[in-house]
Amino acid sequence: MLAVSRRMLGLRGIKFRRYGVQGQEQFGIDLAGREPDGRYSVVQCKDYKTFTAGQLRKAVEKFTGGSRPFGAYRLIVATSASTEATQFADELAALQREHPDLDLELWGSEQINECLRNCGDIVAQFWTRETAVDFCTGAPLPGVPAPPPDRQAQAERVLVGPLNTDDVMPILREADSKLADEPTVSASLYGDLAGRLHDAGYGGHANVLRRKQLDALKEAGHFDDAADLAAELAVAALHRGDRDEPRALARLLGELASSALAASTERAAGTKEHATVIGIAVRDISHPVTMSQLLTTLKSETAGEPGYRPTLVLLLAEVRLATEPHRLDELDDLVGAAL
């Protein structure tokens, strides 16, 4: 199950390991996996010939009623028995309603075997190579690794750059060509490309396209949407430790707030709030020794709940830890809300 868990969840970059040894209190956990963002998934293994909905409930409640190591957000109950009966789906749904803070999954023999049919190396390791040849419909030949399906695309992005590939360049050219006459369409194209590049691991190139998207939104007169994006980019730049980019974006936010007010847009007040919060954040985080307003701003009701708020809380906590650790407990409510 350790090998299967790594494979089934490996696309998320998760790193699994065994949790504890025989005789230790394991709180209903056999395997634990940490994702790149720091969150944990845990697995409870049940090597049973038959498995019931009642045993599923007991397994979940053993974990939820204990100390919940790692503060895991996902619990997977894996069993060698069949779980195709409808009562399992009904019980799993009921348990999910009772524990909305957890993502619950049930892996039965059907799901595990489906995974193993595509994992000839795992089957060969724990059974035999002959078994793998017979059982795994897509098993590679011994000693010949199966290349990732996107290897060619990866190589192309490395050789010519992620903005010059055949699947990106035509769309980028179209977005550039529509900037003058159809800036709204241009902004949408830039945004879609930025999302694709970010998901592919090219964060720097995605940021370049986000700035293009921002310019297009401003050109189209979508001042509030532009402010939303500018605020997110400013906080992301602060988080990276950039000094110049956040200041430039803070100035742009001030211009967008004035434009939104002049145009009487529906969200002009929110855009002005973006400009105020980001302006204070940039000033305080750029001068951490004399920072004075960010804490008050984040605690005030007028700060709202923008998506970047938790990151600002994190930055404030890091500065406080470095400069005034004895006052860190003053941020307890903010940190709790951000979590």
Side-chain angles (χ1 to χ4, degrees):
M1 281 311 305
L2 181 63
V4 168
S5 297
R6 285 170 174 162
R7 190 62 53 86
M8 291 182 75
L9 299 171
L11 293 178
R12 299 170 63 89
I14 199 165
K15 297 180 180 179
F16 262 93
R17 65 179 187 275
R18 297 177 187 273
Y19 179 66
V21 297
Q22 188 171 4
Q24 285 187 313
E25 177 59 59
Q26 294 173 276
F27 308 101
I29 297 176
D30 294 300
L31 308 173
R34 184 181 186 275
E35 299 187 23
D37 61 5
R39 298 187 302 169
Y40 272 84
S41 294
V42 295
V43 182
Q44 188 174 154
C45 303
K46 300 293 183 183
D47 186 11
Y48 292 172
K49 290 184 178 180
T50 59
F51 193 64
T52 67
Q55 289 171 319
L56 170 61
R57 172 169 288 275
K58 183 178 179 181
V60 172
E61 290 179 345
K62 183 176 182 181
F63 174 73
T64 58
S67 64
R68 292 201 189 190
F70 310 111
Y73 82 99
R74 173 167 52 189
L75 170 65
I76 301 165
V77 178
T79 176
S80 51
S82 172
T83 58
E84 289 291 276
T86 58
Q87 55 262 38
F88 287 108
D90 295 340
E91 187 66 22
L92 189 64
L95 287 165
Q96 186 64 78
R97 288 192 296 271
E98 294 170 22
H99 305 285
D101 58 322
L102 269 180
D103 288 345
L104 296 175
E105 295 184 25
L106 175 62
W107 294 354
S109 59
E110 297 83 7
Q111 291 81 12
I112 297 171
N113 278 327
E114 183 64 27
C115 173
L116 288 173
R117 286 191 183 280
N118 295 294
C119 300
D121 54 336
I122 296 178
V123 175
Q125 177 184 354
F126 291 97
W127 288 272
T128 63
R129 183 177 297 174
E130 290 74 19
T131 302
V133 171
D134 292 337
F135 182 76
C136 302
T137 56
L141 294 173
V144 181
D150 61 348
R151 179 64 59 81
Q152 183 173 349
Q154 290 175 349
E156 185 180 0
R157 289 191 178 102
V158 170
L159 290 171
V160 303
L163 298 182
N164 297 315
T165 57
D166 292 338
D167 60 334
V168 172
M169 178 57 75
I171 302 175
L172 182 57
R173 285 175 176 167
E174 182 182 2
D176 290 339
S177 68
K178 292 182 180 296
L179 180 59
D181 299 325
E182 300 177 85
T184 300
V185 175
S186 180
S188 178
L189 292 172
Y190 285 135
D192 290 343
L193 284 178
R196 286 168 53 184
L197 288 171
H198 180 273
D199 292 342
Y202 296 94
H205 295 82
N207 283 336
V208 171
L209 291 181
R210 289 293 188 201
R211 285 305 303 263
K212 285 179 171 286
Q213 180 189 11
L214 179 57
D215 293 338
L217 288 171
K218 182 181 177 183
E219 182 69 23
H222 300 312
F223 304 121
D224 298 322
D225 292 336
D228 291 342
L229 180 56
E232 292 177 7
L233 292 174
V235 174
L238 283 172
H239 196 208
R240 292 195 306 271
D242 195 316
R243 297 183 63 86
D244 297 328
E245 183 76 357
R247 292 172 181 169
L249 288 166
R251 288 193 295 270
L252 176 59
L253 273 166
E255 298 172 7
L256 291 170
S258 298
S259 298
L261 183 62
S264 299
T265 64
E266 293 183 0
R267 294 191 289 129
T271 294
K272 182 179 179 182
E273 191 64 39
H274 276 322
T276 300
V277 173
I278 297 302
I280 290 172
V282 170
R283 286 194 299 272
D284 274 12
I285 293 172
S286 298
H287 302 89
V289 177
T290 58
M291 66 187 311
S292 58
Q293 291 183 276
L294 184 56
L295 175 59
T296 303
T297 301
L298 291 175
K299 284 190 172 183
S300 69
E301 295 182 1
T302 58
E305 290 296 335
Y308 55 77
R309 180 183 171 88
T311 306
L312 288 181
V313 173
L314 171 63
L315 291 170
L316 175 61
E318 288 176 339
V319 171
R320 179 61 61 85
L321 180 62
T323 58
E324 298 178 286
H326 59 284
R327 296 180 57 197
L328 194 59
D329 57 349
E330 295 177 7
L331 309 183
D332 200 40
D333 292 342
L334 279 179
V335 172
L339 289 171

